Amino acid sequence: MRLLLRYGRAGRFIQGKSIVKHQDLGTLSGSVLLFGGPYSNLQAFEALMSAARGLGVPASRMICTGDVVAYCGDASATSEAVKQAGVPLVAGNCEKQLAAGALDCGCGFDAGTTCDLLSAGWYSNANRHVTQGQREWMAGAADIISFTQSGKRYAVIHGGLTDIARFIWSTSKSEVFEEEWAAVEAAIGPVDGIVAGHSGIPFTKDCAKGCWINAGVIGMPPHDGGQETRFAVLDQGQVSVRKLPYDVAGAIQAMEAAGLTQGYHTALRSGYWPSEDVLPAELRRAALASG
Ligand SMILES: [Fe+2]
């Protein structure tokens, strides 16, 4: 774990050589809508905003766990929509990489794996279309957002705090959660819950110090054979994972128009990711079907 040092009252910390930005939203009264991974899926983000209006949740009580841009066809339009909505944003690896003008998504996929090969296609597309103003907005996103609801304090991060692109699953070892919990508390003090994203499949897990909540992603189904994506609602300390129906055909059409036809476009229809490289064995289709 890297050492975290307090840097000043503005909520900025030094993590190794990089500054960790902390944004505190204070006390939020009412339901909080948590979501991740718009993934350049404009249709899904528009559906999410409609769902939020239906729930009576304003943008100020929504928090995105990052990866606004990824697999789908509308990188710039989705970035602009999230930016203009004013939704608090935790920087994902995609935001970090685009802000830095990097040439890959920063997921750290092993060279030659399907995920590695596919990411070269969607990342370069996104890198061509995202504007300078959108990169500057991404560069300003926090590494940790905190808020209090019903007397409980929560931290929102992307993958992990020790590693922004850490894939943490429901099946990850308890030490993984403990490492991240310690890193978060070293940075911003005690928390009762941690909200994260990045890995793409929602879950909640009771940890020694509280509940770990992966809020899922809205831009890609959770590899379950359905088309609906996921977000989470936190209300009075209780979290519920919700399904998000959206204009799947429109999203596929946008991907095809952008030339993004390497496999993720069919995942929107089939509900299954084009690669299981990144998934632990127990979350792959074969294991789920037999279990
Ligand atoms: Fe990510």
Side-chain angles (χ1 to χ4, degrees), residues 39 65-67 71 92-95 105 107 158-159 164-165 167 197-199:
Y39 290 166
T65 63
D67 288 349
Y71 315 106
N93 50 292
C94 293
E95 282 76 57
C105 67
C107 282
H158 183 60
I164 191 172
F167 286 94
H198 180 61
S199 52

Side-chain angles (χ1 to χ4, degrees), residues 30-32 149-150 152 154 234-239:
S31 300
V32 177
Q149 184 204 55
S150 300
K152 292 185 176 179
Y154 296 87
L234 184 65
D235 189 21
Q236 297 184 5
Q238 300 296 314
V239 63

Side-chain angles (χ1 to χ4, degrees), residues 1-2 4 144 161-162 178-188:
M1 189 190 313
R2 281 173 276 183
L4 296 164
I144 309 177
L161 192 62
T162 66
E178 289 167 9
E179 286 170 8
E180 296 301 334
W181 212 289
V184 166
E185 292 198 333
I188 66 165

